[in-house]
Amino acid sequence: MGNINSKGIKENTYDAIVIGSGISGGWAAKELCELGVKTLVLERGRDVKHLIDYPTMAKDPWDFPHRNDLTLKQKEENPVASKCYAFREDAMHFFVKDKEHPYIQEKPFDWIRGYQVEEKV
Amino acid sequence: MKRRRFLSSVAIILPAAFVSTDILFSSCNTGTEENYFSEENINLLDEIGETIIPATASSPGAKAAHIGDFMKVYVTDCYTPEQQAIFWSGVNKVKKISKNKFGNPFPKLAVSQKQQVLHSLENESKSSKSTNKNESAKGDAVQTGKEETANTTDNTARFYPMIKDLVVFGFFTSKRGATKALRYIQTPGSYQGVVPYKKGDKAWAT
């Protein structure tokens, strides 16, 4: 009968909202839930489905044009991310590109980021 | 894994496969410099690769792994301008030595002549390394490639280690190199610390 959402406020009210599903947020959410707190986790990145979202999983070294090495351009565009051992042809797609999301470093700080559920966990 | 570390581990694990690694390489051309990956240059690089890693009765050589095509992509995309300068000065040096010493382009030389050309480049790089050591600690010149790029002699001295790296890395990450010269299993499963080895068994790529 009609579209009255009389429970809207109640259903969308939480005791705790965790922002980010990485190692800290994920663990905090688990603890909160175990304490019986009504918890909401917000994550900006997409969900990564096991197996389905591993596009390079079944590739062999020769399937990568640079045999899994980075190109000069990729290194130049990602001075921070390319410091991470895993930032290679086979896993780059999980990383935040430095160019797309720059940040200010007052002191040198390597911020290796990924936007997906469970982040880098 | 870093490429250098990969290479050194390969070199340790696979001495049998590397018998010819120290035999070096050569060039093919008419003496004109063309510093891009023309068909002729790719053919030359294939021949250089084949001299460093020749086909054997039980394994393919670098040519079968299309090492020249691999270098085209890798050098173009991954090398700094300084490294590319070293690369091309070495390629041209190979052409020059072949022409001057044997009167033919590198691909047309006999195997032993090709080896001589490459040996001379290897020796040059070795002697330049010891000179550099005596002068001062210059670090890994080939990798940084930043000092004295204008110095052609220096560049050609850095060429041999570079091309050897390219050939070894390119070959053993190629389908033929990894699966025919080595044993390759994409998903090896559980770790086995000790496996029986019979003389002549191929080493593992995975």
Side-chain angles (χ1 to χ4, degrees), chain A residues 56-76 82-83 85 88, chain B residues 1-3 65-66 70 73-74 77-81 84 169-171 173-176 178-179 184 186:
Chain A
T56 56
M57 181 182 62
K59 288 193 172 185
D60 291 306
W62 51 88
D63 293 327
F64 296 98
H66 308 97
R67 308 283 161 87
N68 212 15
D69 270 358
L70 295 176
T71 65
L72 196 58
K73 186 158 175 274
Q74 287 164 340
K75 277 188 205 155
E76 281 167 357
S82 64
K83 288 183 186 173
Y85 75 97
R88 313 278 305 257
Chain B
M1 200 190 300
K2 290 266 189 291
R3 186 163 64 95
H66 304 293
F70 162 73
V73 175
Y74 197 86
D77 293 347
C78 302
Y79 272 18
T80 62
Q84 295 195 18
F169 172 64
F171 179 74
T173 53
S174 72
K175 183 164 189 179
R176 294 202 178 202
T179 61
Y184 183 89
Q186 196 193 38

Side-chain angles (χ1 to χ4, degrees), chain A residues 9-83:
Chain A
I9 291 179
K10 187 168 181 260
E11 283 182 354
N12 290 293
T13 300
Y14 295 88
D15 299 322
I17 297 177
V18 176
I19 299 173
S21 65
I23 186 71
S24 304
W27 193 265
K30 167 197 170 284
E31 294 282 315
L32 290 166
C33 289
E34 283 175 1
L35 292 169
V37 177
K38 192 180 172 196
T39 307
L40 175 69
V41 177
L42 298 178
E43 168 57 53
R44 69 179 292 167
R46 67 183 182 122
D47 198 8
V48 174
K49 294 260 182 290
H50 186 48
L51 302 182
I52 296 165
D53 287 321
Y54 305 154
T56 56
M57 181 182 62
K59 288 193 172 185
D60 291 306
W62 51 88
D63 293 327
F64 296 98
H66 308 97
R67 308 283 161 87
N68 212 15
D69 270 358
L70 295 176
T71 65
L72 196 58
K73 186 158 175 274
Q74 287 164 340
K75 277 188 205 155
E76 281 167 357
E77 288 181 355
N78 297 283
V80 177
S82 64
K83 288 183 186 173

Side-chain angles (χ1 to χ4, degrees), chain B residues 36-100:
Chain B
Y36 63 94
F37 288 92
S38 60
E39 220 169 281
E40 193 178 352
N41 277 338
I42 288 176
N43 181 41
L44 165 64
L45 294 167
D46 276 345
E47 293 294 336
I48 291 173
E50 190 70 17
T51 311
I52 295 175
I53 303 183
T56 68
S58 62
S59 65
K63 207 195 224 168
H66 304 293
I67 201 74
D69 288 332
F70 162 73
M71 287 188 213
K72 176 180 178 177
V73 175
Y74 197 86
V75 171
T76 307
D77 293 347
C78 302
Y79 272 18
T80 62
E82 289 84 4
Q83 288 173 313
Q84 295 195 18
I86 295 171
F87 181 82
W88 289 114
S89 85
V91 169
N92 289 316
K93 185 81 184 279
V94 170
K95 294 178 184 176
K96 216 162 105 190
I97 299 178
S98 312
K99 197 84 186 152
N100 294 348

Side-chain angles (χ1 to χ4, degrees), chain B:
Chain B
M1 200 190 300
K2 290 266 189 291
R3 186 163 64 95
R4 298 218 130 222
R5 230 175 59 212
F6 167 78
L7 287 179
S8 54
S9 61
V10 166
I12 291 164
I13 297 165
L14 307 177
F18 275 88
V19 172
S20 60
T21 302
D22 286 332
I23 297 162
L24 296 202
F25 59 94
S26 62
S27 76
C28 75
N29 226 347
T30 53
T32 51
E33 292 199 4
E34 32 173 39
N35 295 347
Y36 63 94
F37 288 92
S38 60
E39 220 169 281
E40 193 178 352
N41 277 338
I42 288 176
N43 181 41
L44 165 64
L45 294 167
D46 276 345
E47 293 294 336
I48 291 173
E50 190 70 17
T51 311
I52 295 175
I53 303 183
T56 68
S58 62
S59 65
K63 207 195 224 168
H66 304 293
I67 201 74
D69 288 332
F70 162 73
M71 287 188 213
K72 176 180 178 177
V73 175
Y74 197 86
V75 171
T76 307
D77 293 347
C78 302
Y79 272 18
T80 62
E82 289 84 4
Q83 288 173 313
Q84 295 195 18
I86 295 171
F87 181 82
W88 289 114
S89 85
V91 169
N92 289 316
K93 185 81 184 279
V94 170
K95 294 178 184 176
K96 216 162 105 190
I97 299 178
S98 312
K99 197 84 186 152
N100 294 348
K101 209 165 168 189
F102 301 109
N104 259 323
F106 185 81
K108 296 219 171 110
L109 302 182
V111 172
S112 67
Q113 293 175 325
K114 290 176 179 169
Q115 292 171 352
Q116 282 181 49
V117 175
L118 295 191
H119 273 309
S120 72
L121 284 170
E122 184 180 36
N123 292 336
E124 190 184 334
S125 95
K126 278 184 181 160
S127 60
S128 125
K129 221 178 250 172
S130 53
T131 321
N132 283 353
K133 226 178 261 169
N134 295 341
E135 281 172 11
S136 64
K138 283 192 179 173
D140 190 347
V142 172
Q143 279 300 298
T144 61
K146 280 192 179 139
E147 298 160 37
E148 306 149 49
T149 45
N151 189 327
T152 317
T153 320
D154 235 59
N155 273 355
T156 54
R158 291 168 187 177
F159 174 67
Y160 187 70
M162 174 184 274
I163 193 93
K164 185 168 154 185
D165 257 16
L166 279 170
V167 171
V168 172
F169 172 64
F171 179 74
F172 287 107
T173 53
S174 72
K175 183 164 189 179
R176 294 202 178 202
T179 61
K180 307 279 185 212
L182 301 174
R183 286 182 283 180
Y184 183 89
I185 298 177
Q186 196 193 38
T187 45
S190 62
Y191 173 74
Q192 290 169 281
V194 182
V195 289
Y197 175 79
K198 280 201 317 293
K199 202 166 181 241
D201 277 356
K202 290 190 195 312
W204 286 97
T206 51

